[in-house]
Amino acid sequence: MPLRRKLADLVALLFAMAATLFGLIWLVWILWTTLAEGAAAITPALFTQMTPPPGSSGGLLNAFYGSAVMVLLALAIGTPLGIAAGTYLAEHGRNSRLAAVVSFLNDVLLSAPSIVIGLFVYELVVRPAGHFSGYAGALALAMILLPIVVRTTDESLRLVPNQMREAAFALGLPAWRVTSRIIYKSALSGIITGILLGLARIAGETAPLLFTALNNQFWSASIAQPLANVPVVIFQYAMSPYDEWHALAWAGALVLTTFVLGLNLMVRFFARKGSK
Amino acid sequence: MSPLPPAAPRSGAGADRLFRLVTAGAAWLVLILLGGAAASMAWGGRLAFETFGWGFVSSRDWDAVSGKFGALVPIYGTLATSIIALLIAVPVSIGIALFLTDIAPRWLRAPIGTAVELLAAIPSIIYGMWGLFVFAPFMAAHVEPWLNDRLGPLPVVGVLFTGPPIGIGLLTASIVLGIMVIPFITAVARDVFNAVPTSLKEAAVALGSTRWEILSRVTLPYTRSAIIGAIFLGLGRALGETMAVTFVLGNAHDLSASLLMPSNSIAAAIANEFTEADSELYRSSLIALAFLLFVVTFLVLSAAKLMLMRIGRTHGRTH
C-alpha cells in the first residue's frame, strides 16, 4: 500500500480519536466546575431560606418551590395533550394528510427557539393579564414539553406490532378500547421515558420563563403572581456583581444539573434494561 | 330467536368518534400553536416593521433613547456565531460518529455515546455560567493573546483576530455554541453511519480500501443528504440558542469585524432587553427580531427535516 494512503488512514484515525476526546473534555470540564463551585456553596440554608437581597446570604427555597410547581403544572397540561396528539399520529390518523403535516411541524416545534415560545406566551397571557405569573411560566414550559411527548408517544405506539391490533379488533373491541386498554399498555414504558426526558428538558429551561414567570424574591405560593424559579434565579444571580449571589447561583446550578443528568441517566438505564 | 342488542356497538361507535375527535383536536393544537406563535410575533412586531420598513434589517442603529432600532448587529451576530459554531461542530461530530461506529472497541461505544448525548442534556444556563466564569477568563488569558500575536498581523484574516483579549465576544460565544450542537449532529451522523449497508463496506474492504477511504468514498457519499440534514438541524439549534450566548456575547450593539469584540445576537438581545423595554416601539422591535428568528429557524429546520426524511424513506424508517 502506498505510504500516502497509509498516512491518510492514520490521520483519519487520529482525527476521530481527537474529536471524541475534544467532545468529552468539555463535558468533564463543565461538570467538574459545577461540582467544585456548587459543592462549596451548598449549605442547609439553601433548602430552608428564601432568596436574599443583594450582598447577603440566604437560600433558594422559594425558587425550588416555584420551579417544582411550574414543572408539575406543565406536565399536567402537556402530557395528556401530547399523548393524545401522538395517538392521532400513530393510530387514528395514521397515513392521513393531517398526521403527515403535524408530524413534520411537530419536529420543527421540537427544535424551535424556546425564547420565541416565551414571547408568544407573553403576548398571549402576560400582556392581556397585565402582570407576570406562575401559570404563564407553566404554559410556556408545557409548550416546550408538548412536541417531545408527541414525538415519543408516536414512536412508541408505532413499535407495537400490528398483530396486537388485529387480535384486539378480532375480539370485537371498539377502536378506542383497543388503543386505551391494549396499545397504551404495551407502549407504556416508551411513553413514560418520553415524559421523563421532557421533564428533564423543561426543568432547566430558562429563556421561556424570563418573560412569563419572571422571578420573585419573596415567598409566594400563588401561581397568579410572579413566581421564583431556579433557572431565572441562576441567571440573575450569576450576572450580578455580588459574591454571595454567585455562590447561590453555583449551588442552584449544581442541584439543577444533578437533577437533570440524574434523570437522563436513570431513564437510559431503565430503557436499556427494558429492551433486553 | 331474539335479535342482538343493538345498543352496545352504537355506544362503542360514539365513544370511538369522541376518542378520534379528542386525539385529532390535540394534533390540530400542535398546528395552532406553531401558527399562533408565528402570527403573534408578526402582530407584535408590526409597529417596528411599519416604522422602519426594510431599514429594520439593514440599519445598525440600536438606540432606545432616540427610538431608532435597526437589527443588523444582532442579525450579524446570530449568523456569525452559528456559522463559526458549525465550522467547529461539524468535523468534530463526524469524527466522533466515525469513532463510535468503526473505531472504538464495542464495549466502549455505549458509554462514550451516552457521554456525548449528555452534552445535549446539560441545561443551556449551565453552559452560560461556565462560559462566563470559567471559559471566558480562560480565553482571555490563554487563547486570545496568542491569536492576537500569531494571527493578528496576517493580511486579510488578521482583522478577525485583533482587538482586546477580554474573553467575552463572538469567538467565545461561537465555541460554546459549537460544543452545544456537537451532540445533535453526532446523534444523527452515528445513526446513519450505522445504517450504511454492511455489504457496501465489505465490498470496499475487499477492494483494499483503508478506513479513511471507506469513510470518504462510501459512508459519506451514501449518507450525504442525512449529514446535510444534521448540519441544518445543528444550525437551527445554534440560531435560536439563547442563554449560553447571552452570558458570553457581551450585549454590545456595535458592528465589528473582529471576532474578539463583544457583539449581540437576536436571542441574546431579546433575553437581555425585553423586560427593560420601556416603549411600545422598543418592545415591538424586539418582537420583530423574534419573528425574523422564528421564520429563519423554521426554514432551516424544515430543510433539515426534508433531508432527513429522504434517507428515512430509502431505509423505510423515519427520524
Side-chain angles (χ1 to χ4, degrees):
Chain A
M1 200 186 294
L3 187 63
R4 195 183 51 77
R5 288 181 57 204
K6 260 189 190 159
L7 217 62
D9 191 45
L10 189 67
V11 169
L13 190 74
L14 290 177
F15 173 76
M17 289 185 191
T20 309
L21 210 60
F22 180 84
L24 295 180
I25 280 174
W26 305 109
L27 182 72
V28 173
W29 194 358
I30 293 170
L31 292 184
W32 171 249
T33 307
T34 313
L35 190 66
E37 300 272 350
I42 285 197
T43 57
L46 187 70
F47 304 100
T48 56
Q49 293 183 14
M50 305 299 146
T51 46
S56 57
S57 58
L60 296 174
L61 178 63
N62 49 342
F64 287 132
Y65 168 80
S67 272
V69 167
M70 282 192 284
V71 166
L72 289 178
L73 205 57
L75 279 177
I77 303 168
T79 306
L81 289 172
I83 292 179
T87 305
Y88 183 80
L89 298 189
E91 301 284 332
H92 296 256
R94 194 188 278 207
N95 302 328
S96 74
R97 177 166 292 201
L98 173 64
V101 173
V102 170
S103 176
F104 185 92
L105 292 180
N106 185 70
D107 277 10
V108 173
L109 199 59
L110 201 60
S111 301
S114 56
I115 192 152
V116 174
I117 291 173
L119 273 184
F120 175 46
V121 175
Y122 174 88
E123 291 281 298
L124 201 68
V125 179
V126 178
R127 204 211 280 262
H131 59 85
F132 300 102
S133 61
Y135 59 76
L139 215 56
L141 293 183
M143 273 190 68
I144 292 173
L145 178 70
L146 180 73
I148 303 174
V149 178
V150 173
R151 171 55 57 234
T152 48
T153 303
D154 180 19
E155 279 174 359
S156 350
L157 292 179
R158 277 172 201 275
L159 288 179
V160 177
N162 251 335
Q163 285 92 323
M164 304 244 316
R165 295 184 183 87
E166 286 159 7
F169 280 124
L171 291 174
L173 286 178
W176 72 278
R177 298 204 76 169
V178 174
T179 304
S180 61
R181 300 294 286 274
I182 292 164
I183 310 296
Y184 279 160
K185 209 168 246 175
S186 40
L188 191 66
S189 72
I191 297 175
I192 290 178
T193 301
I195 295 170
L196 291 178
L197 287 178
L199 167 66
R201 164 89 193 274
I202 61 173
E205 277 291 341
T206 316
L209 295 178
L210 287 173
F211 327 122
T212 51
L214 195 64
N215 196 0
N216 195 336
Q217 196 198 320
F218 305 103
W219 175 262
S220 164
S222 163
I223 57 164
Q225 297 297 316
L227 203 55
N229 57 87
V230 178
V232 175
V233 169
I234 294 177
F235 177 52
Q236 292 185 345
Y237 282 18
M239 290 293 227
S240 78
Y242 312 107
D243 285 340
E244 288 88 349
W245 277 16
H246 289 172
L248 271 180
W250 279 117
L254 178 58
V255 173
L256 185 63
T257 309
T258 310
F259 176 76
V260 170
L261 294 194
L263 198 57
N264 260 287
L265 286 173
M266 206 183 73
V267 167
R268 269 161 226 275
F269 179 73
F270 282 112
R272 198 166 296 155
K273 225 172 142 191
S275 68
K276 263 179 195 166
Chain B
M1 205 167 138
S2 61
L4 285 170
R10 200 183 291 157
S11 82
D16 255 359
R17 206 172 301 132
L18 185 71
F19 199 77
R20 185 180 242 292
L21 222 65
V22 168
T23 56
W28 273 106
L29 186 73
V30 174
L31 296 189
I32 293 167
L33 285 178
L34 200 72
S40 119
M41 293 303 106
W43 179 251
R46 74 192 184 286
L47 183 63
F49 288 128
E50 276 166 13
T51 311
F52 305 113
W54 285 108
F56 184 69
V57 292
S58 64
S59 158
R60 52 201 265 193
D61 297 325
W62 188 272
D63 187 348
V65 180
S66 61
K68 283 209 180 82
F69 298 100
L72 188 61
V73 174
I75 290 173
Y76 166 75
T78 304
L79 294 178
T81 48
S82 301
I83 289 167
I84 300 171
L86 285 182
L87 289 179
I88 299 167
V90 171
V92 170
S93 304
I94 290 177
I96 297 178
L98 180 66
F99 183 78
L100 288 176
T101 53
D102 275 349
I103 296 174
R106 224 155 259 287
W107 57 271
L108 203 57
R109 293 181 187 182
I112 289 189
T114 306
V116 173
E117 283 166 21
L118 283 187
L119 272 179
I122 296 177
S124 67
I125 182 126
I126 307 295
Y127 277 97
M129 239 185 121
W130 168 81
L132 178 68
F133 288 117
V134 180
F135 190 56
F138 173 82
M139 289 288 288
H142 302 293
V143 179
E144 293 184 355
W146 185 86
L147 290 175
N148 264 334
D149 293 346
R150 299 295 168 87
L151 301 181
L154 295 179
V156 190
V157 294
V159 67
L160 291 174
F161 301 104
T162 48
I166 49 175
I168 300 285
L170 275 175
L171 185 63
T172 306
S174 307
I175 296 174
V176 174
L177 214 46
I179 303 165
M180 296 181 77
V181 298
I182 285 174
F184 294 101
I185 304 179
T186 303
V188 179
R190 181 178 65 170
D191 282 355
V192 296
F193 282 6
N194 270 330
V196 175
T198 320
S199 54
L200 280 182
K201 285 190 189 173
E202 282 170 354
V205 173
L207 291 174
S209 302
T210 64
R211 240 183 301 236
W212 164 246
E213 286 158 354
I214 296 174
L215 176 74
S216 61
R217 300 193 191 165
V218 178
T219 307
L220 281 180
Y222 188 81
T223 56
R224 190 175 51 214
S225 81
I227 295 295
I228 296 173
I231 294 171
F232 272 71
L233 185 70
L235 179 61
R237 289 274 175 175
L239 289 170
E241 174 47 46
T242 309
M243 298 321 293
V245 175
T246 306
F247 273 98
V248 292
L249 197 48
N251 196 31
H253 280 283
D254 307 309
L255 199 58
S256 161
S258 169
L259 298 179
L260 306 188
M261 293 296 277
S263 181
N264 216 331
S265 82
I266 294 178
I270 300 169
N272 270 317
E273 300 176 34
F274 192 73
T275 43
E276 293 161 15
D278 45 10
S279 70
E280 239 356 84
L281 186 61
Y282 195 174
R283 202 172 300 138
S284 176
S285 300
L286 289 168
I287 297 178
L289 273 182
F291 177 73
L292 294 178
L293 178 65
F294 194 65
V295 171
V296 171
T297 46
F298 181 86
L299 295 176
V300 168
L301 292 170
S302 299
K305 177 81 182 137
L306 287 174
M307 304 264 189
L308 292 174
M309 273 162 72
R310 214 152 85 189
I311 193 139
R313 212 171 293 141
T314 54
H315 294 300
R317 67 197 190 103
T318 51
H319 283 271

